[in-house]
DNA sequence: GTTTTTAAAAGTACTTTTTACTTTTATATT
DNA sequence: AATATAAAAGTAAAAAGTACTTTTAAAAAC
C-alpha cells in the first residue's frame, strides 16, 4: 500500500499521542482534571490525560476514546488546541502530541470512574507541578478557551441544563479571572437572545430568587461579537 | 533510551508531515503559492508545499526548512493552523500532517527559486483543484488568517516596508473579501497608533498622492480590538 | 496660467454599544 | 410588618462604529 518514497522515511516515523485539558465547573469554580501518570517516566506525577493515537484513528478519535474510558462520557465537547513536536519534550521518546481541551459537566456519573484512575479536580489557580511541558499545554488551552468564550457563549457543556444568569456570569468571571458587572453582563447576554427564560426560580442565592434559563437549541446565532473586548490594547 | 511501554506501540508510529499554506500579496491581490507535487501518488497535481518532519526536529522547524529550501527566505512568519490525522487522508500512507500558514512578501528574490520548483501564485478566488484534503487546509488557513487579522494588523510581513493606508485597506479587503469604507478604515487604523507617517508620498494612484507609512517597531500595542466585528451574528 | 480631475484626507452627524452606576423588585427571614 | 438580600430593571454619559460629505493637493488637460 505504501509507495517507495514513503518507505524511505520509515525511520522518521513518530509516536503520536493526544493530551486532553479537561475543564469542568463545580462549586462556582473552573476546574481542571489531572491524573497521576501510570507509566514511566515520571510515573506518579500529575499530568494531563493522555493516550496514544492508534494507526487507524484520528487524534480526535483517540481523545474521545481515552476520555470515554476514564469518564464514561460520550459526546464530549472537544476543541483542538495545538500540536507539540519538540523531539525532547518527552524523555521517554520522540513523541508528537496533539492537544485538545474538553468541556464537561462535573455533575454527572463520571466522577465515579474518575476516582478509579486516581484523578482529581484542581481549581485552575492552584495547580500542582505537572510533568513535561504540560504547564505550557494548560496555558495554551486556557488561552484558546478564552478566545472561544469571547466569541461564543460557552456553557452549554459546562453548566447544568438549567442555570441562572449569575451562574453563567460566575463561569465567565472564572474563565477570564475578572469580575464582570452583573447588570451589564445580564444585559449583554440577554441581548444575544440565545437563552430561554424558564418559569422556575433558583431560591438558593437570594430572597428574591433568580430565574433559571436554558440554552435555546443550538442553531443559528451561535457566534457573536466578542464578549470581552480589547484583547490586549 | 525508549522505555518498554513505548516500545510496545512501535507499530502505531506515524509518518508526520507539514503542509504550508503560503500567502503573498502582489498586484493588490492576496495570493497563494501552490506546487506541482513531485512524488506519487497524485504526482503532477497542484498541492500545498509539504515535507516530512524528521525525527530530530519540530514541525515548525520542518516548515521553516522546506520554506527556506524553496524560497530562500529566512524568518518567515509562520502560524500553526491545525493538525489533520485521518489515517486515510493520504492514499500513500497513514500520514498525520501539521498545517501552518506563512506570510511572505512576494517582492523578494524568492521568486526565482520558486520558479525552479514549478510553483505558481494563484489568487485565492481562483484556485485549481488540489490533492487530498488540501482544499480543507486552505479554508482553515484562511479562517485563521482572518481571525488573526481581526485582532492584529497583519501586513508587517505581507506588505513592502513602506505602504499607503489604501494599500493596507486593500489587503484587508482581500483577506475578508469585502470592501472596507476608506474613511472609516483610515480613522480606525490611525487611532491604533501602530503606524508611522513618512514624509514621502506615493504618486502612482492619485493626483494628490498618498503618504507612505511604515509599521512602528513591533512591541507594545500589537493586539487590538477586533477590526471586523460581528463574527457571524 | 487657469480649470479639471483624481483619490487622499479630514470632517460630520447619526446610531449603536459599552460602561459605570442607581433604583426598584420579590420574597425568605427577622 | 419590617428587614435584608441579590435579582432585575433602568439611566445617563462616554466611546465606538457607520454612512456619508467636504476639502485638499497636485498632475493633467485645456
Amino acid at each position: 500500500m505504501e509507495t517507495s518514497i514513503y518507505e524511505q522515511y520509515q525511520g522518521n516515523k513518530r509516536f503520536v499521542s493526544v493530551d486532553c485539558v479537561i475543564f469542568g465547573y463545580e462549586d462556582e469554580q473552573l476546574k481542571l482534571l489531572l491524573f497521576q501518570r501510570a507509566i514511566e517516566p515520571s510515573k506518579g506525577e500529575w499530568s494531563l490525560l493522555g493516550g496514544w493515537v492508534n494507526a487507524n484513528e484520528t487524534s480526535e478519535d483517540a481523545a474521545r476514546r481515552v476520555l470515554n474510558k476514564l469518564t464514561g462520557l460520550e459526546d464530549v465537547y472537544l476543541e483542538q488546541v495545538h500540536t507539540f513536536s519538540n523531539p525532547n519534550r518527552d524523555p521517554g521518546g520522540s513523541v508528537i502530541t496533539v492537544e485538545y481541551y474538553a468541556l464537561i459537566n462535573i455533575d454527572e456519573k463520571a466522577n465515579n470512574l474518575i476516582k478509579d484512575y486516581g484523578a482529581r479536580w484542581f481549581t485552575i489557580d492552584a495547580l500542582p507541578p505537572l510533568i513535561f511541558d504540560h504547564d505550557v499545554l494548560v496555558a495554551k488551552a486556557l488561552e484558546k478557551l478564552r478566545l472561544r468564550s469571547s466569541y461564543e457563549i460557552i456553557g452549554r457543556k459546562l453548566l447544568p441544563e438549567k442555570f441562572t444568569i449569575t451562574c453563567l456570569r460566575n463561569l465567565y468571571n472564572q474563565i477570564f479571572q475578572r469580575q464582570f458587572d452583573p447588570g451589564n453582563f445580564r444585559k449583554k447576554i440577554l441581548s444575544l437572545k440565545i437563552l430561554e427564560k424558564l418559569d422556575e426560580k433558583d431560591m438558593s442565592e437570594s430572597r428574591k430568587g433568580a430565574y433559571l434559563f436554558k440554552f435555546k437549541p443550538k442553531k443559528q446565532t451561535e457566534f457573536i461579537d466578542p464578549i470581552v473586548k480589547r484583547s490586549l490594547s
Side-chain angles (χ1 to χ4, degrees), chain A:
Chain A
M1 177 61 189
E2 287 166 358
T3 55
S4 60
I5 188 80
Y6 284 53
E7 286 299 331
Q8 303 172 21
Y9 287 89
Q10 284 288 352
N12 281 336
K13 277 186 162 185
R14 296 277 280 267
F15 288 113
V16 181
S17 67
V18 285
D19 282 301
C20 298
V21 179
I22 306 170
F23 291 109
Y25 184 66
E26 190 181 44
D27 302 332
E28 315 207 328
Q29 293 269 299
L30 183 63
K31 294 183 179 178
L32 212 145
L33 190 61
L34 296 176
F35 295 78
Q36 283 181 292
R37 189 170 154 94
I39 60 172
E40 290 295 349
S42 302
K43 186 173 174 176
E45 294 178 40
W46 291 105
S47 80
L48 298 172
L49 172 63
W52 299 111
V53 178
N54 297 328
N56 61 344
E57 65 181 357
T58 66
S59 55
E60 188 173 322
D61 290 339
R64 290 194 187 284
R65 180 170 48 74
V66 294
L67 265 165
N68 178 256
K69 187 173 171 199
L70 268 87
T71 66
L73 296 173
E74 314 261 0
D75 298 323
V76 169
Y77 178 89
L78 277 181
E79 183 169 358
Q80 193 185 112
V81 178
H82 197 77
T83 295
F84 295 83
S85 52
N86 188 320
N88 308 120
R89 54 177 295 280
D90 180 340
S94 184
V95 178
I96 175 171
T97 199
V98 185
E99 179 189 7
Y100 288 84
Y101 75 69
L103 302 182
I104 77 178
N105 185 340
I106 297 186
D107 297 336
E108 305 218 27
K109 51 191 180 281
N111 268 327
N112 298 330
L113 283 130
I114 288 170
K115 276 189 207 117
D116 299 342
Y117 289 91
R120 252 189 60 196
W121 288 102
F122 291 84
T123 59
I124 55 162
D125 52 356
L127 298 177
L130 300 173
I131 64 164
F132 308 167
D133 52 3
H134 284 196
D135 53 338
V136 177
L137 272 69
V138 168
K140 199 97 181 172
L142 196 53
E143 190 187 304
K144 192 123 190 181
L145 177 64
R146 283 182 180 143
L147 185 63
R148 171 147 299 263
S149 306
S150 72
Y151 276 104
E152 185 179 354
I153 301 302
I154 59 116
R156 226 177 255 283
K157 282 291 176 184
L158 282 168
L159 298 177
E161 202 195 334
K162 302 170 182 179
F163 53 88
T164 63
I165 302 277
T166 303
C167 180
L168 180 60
R169 173 166 54 86
N170 188 267
L171 172 60
Y172 269 77
N173 287 346
Q174 290 284 315
I175 291 173
F176 289 97
Q177 300 278 29
R178 53 173 274 205
Q179 296 298 115
F180 288 90
D181 179 275
N184 295 338
F185 185 85
R186 160 183 302 275
K187 203 195 308 177
K188 177 74 184 177
I189 296 296
L190 293 180
S191 77
L192 300 173
K193 302 194 192 308
I194 54 167
L195 298 185
E196 183 184 331
K197 190 178 188 174
L198 304 175
D199 281 334
E200 267 174 278
K201 273 186 168 182
D202 169 272
M203 303 306 292
S204 66
E205 300 288 322
S206 73
R207 304 285 150 79
K208 182 179 176 181
Y211 280 103
L212 290 167
F213 289 79
K214 65 177 183 183
F215 281 99
K216 287 183 188 170
K218 189 166 184 164
K219 265 229 148 71
Q220 73 291 56
T221 62
E222 200 58 16
F223 280 87
I224 51 170
D225 282 357
I227 295 297
V228 177
K229 302 210 41 179
R230 214 166 287 277
S231 311
L232 207 136
S233 179

